[in-house]
Amino acid sequence: MKKVLAIVMSLVLVAGIVLAFTACGEEKKIVVAEAGSAGESVMNEDEYFADYEKTPVDTQSKALMEVSAGTADMAVIDYVMSIGSIGEGTDFANLKLVEDAKFSPEEYGIAFRKGSDAVNYVNKAIKELKADGTLEDIAKDYKLQDQLLGDADYEEVKAKESDWEYIKDKGTLVVGITYFAPMNYEDENGELTGFETEFAKAVAAKLGVKVKFQVIDWNSKETELAGKNIDCIWNGMTITPERQENMQISIPYMKNEQAVVVKAD
């Protein structure tokens, strides 16, 4: 009898443990962010997400899709992407920002090859477009005017071999992008549009070259740049000390931060 009782107690104990683990599993929530992005760094490092299962996805758009579909509980994305992309009248009308969850204030810049003097010409063009109001006019179309920068001082790069002459001789500035609304994305007619699409076109026109947009793998952006498959990375790229060490980056043109998106109530 004692042996039977012991077996029963053991089974009860095991069942309790299984139920406890099952309950924990059910309670575990999922947070998603684009692989290789500032959002992924925040997701992995900030204590705010300590109790969440962390899952990288291909793009920020995919992160929003996961939350919208209910396969993730929250997404960490660029704040500028949330403007005009979630809420009433958008494709993600069922999503909203968590107002008290903002992380990692940052600034966007355009990356060129290390030591590239092309950045001198682009910096000059940015400042001129900011001064004459063109940049603000473009930003207003995407509700980004409050995020604008673009008037910082800069020290000119002295290059032994001119990267700008290489670009000018080609006659085309090849811009590496990913699809990232409202920066670069396809409209209902399949045409590339967005703040940075128009911004890059305005800079190229001022510099007297054509612009070609080339979709890249964000995780391979430095390789694409160094190998001259593209001439610059112009896609909401956060300026970091590491990137400044390895690439030549323009003056900041926009401020941003990482935001948390969840389903609306």
Side-chain angles (χ1 to χ4, degrees):
M1 185 68 181
K2 289 183 179 178
K3 185 179 290 187
V4 172
L5 183 60
I7 292 172
V8 170
M9 291 298 292
S10 296
L11 289 173
V12 169
L13 180 61
V14 169
I17 293 171
V18 170
L19 286 172
F21 274 109
T22 301
C24 288
E26 289 176 350
E27 291 175 3
K28 193 80 169 180
K29 294 186 177 182
I30 298 171
V31 56
V32 293
E34 181 184 19
S37 70
E40 184 184 28
S41 297
V42 168
M43 175 181 77
N44 288 333
E45 297 169 9
D46 198 280
E47 284 298 313
Y48 186 91
F49 308 99
D51 296 329
Y52 286 77
E53 181 179 329
K54 303 167 182 67
T55 304
V57 294
D58 293 340
T59 64
Q60 295 195 68
S61 295
K62 180 69 183 299
L64 293 179
M65 289 170 63
E66 295 281 357
V67 178
S68 180
T71 49
D73 297 284
M74 62 171 56
V76 187
I77 67 166
D78 284 15
Y79 172 70
V80 298
M81 185 181 187
S82 73
I83 300 172
S85 294
I86 66 172
E88 187 177 353
T90 72
D91 291 339
F92 297 105
N94 63 334
L95 302 184
K96 67 175 183 179
L97 286 176
V98 178
E99 292 299 335
D100 61 347
K102 299 285 178 65
F103 306 90
S104 186
E106 59 196 28
E107 296 174 338
Y108 287 164
I110 306 154
F112 293 82
R113 287 175 276 279
K114 186 65 177 176
S116 172
D117 61 341
V119 74
N120 300 334
Y121 299 88
V122 170
N123 280 339
K124 184 173 183 291
I126 291 172
K127 294 191 72 164
E128 289 175 356
L129 291 169
K130 178 69 183 298
D132 68 17
T134 301
L135 191 54
E136 184 170 9
D137 288 341
I138 295 171
K140 283 179 179 177
D141 289 339
Y142 302 94
K143 303 177 182 178
L144 294 172
Q145 64 272 19
D146 293 338
Q147 305 302 114
L148 274 184
L149 301 171
D151 49 12
D153 293 330
Y154 62 93
E155 185 175 336
E156 289 203 353
V157 173
K158 306 297 182 183
K160 292 181 180 179
E161 185 175 341
S162 177
D163 198 32
W164 171 245
E165 289 300 320
Y166 161 75
I167 295 168
K168 193 168 67 169
D169 287 347
K170 289 189 303 169
T172 302
L173 177 69
V174 183
V175 176
I177 65 166
T178 63
Y179 291 126
F180 166 31
M183 298 308 192
N184 299 293
Y185 64 98
E186 291 184 345
D187 64 17
E188 60 274 13
N189 299 315
E191 297 292 326
L192 187 67
T193 189
F195 169 75
E196 292 191 315
T197 308
E198 293 189 42
F199 182 18
K201 287 179 179 178
V203 168
K206 187 170 278 290
L207 297 180
V209 295
K210 296 177 182 179
V211 62
K212 175 185 175 183
F213 297 98
Q214 185 165 309
V215 177
I216 60 172
D217 179 348
W218 189 248
N219 288 324
S220 303
K221 57 189 177 295
E222 292 90 349
T223 303
E224 295 269 9
L225 186 60
K228 292 192 172 181
N229 295 323
I230 58 175
D231 296 313
C232 62
I233 302 164
W234 201 329
N235 193 221
M237 193 198 75
T238 304
I239 300 172
T240 66
E242 182 181 3
R243 287 172 176 166
Q244 288 176 313
E245 185 71 25
N246 296 313
M247 297 181 283
Q248 205 67 49
I249 302 180
S250 72
I251 58 174
Y253 61 86
M254 183 163 287
K255 59 185 177 180
N256 182 48
E257 57 193 339
Q258 295 305 304
V260 174
V261 174
V262 297
K263 267 193 173 182
D265 296 332

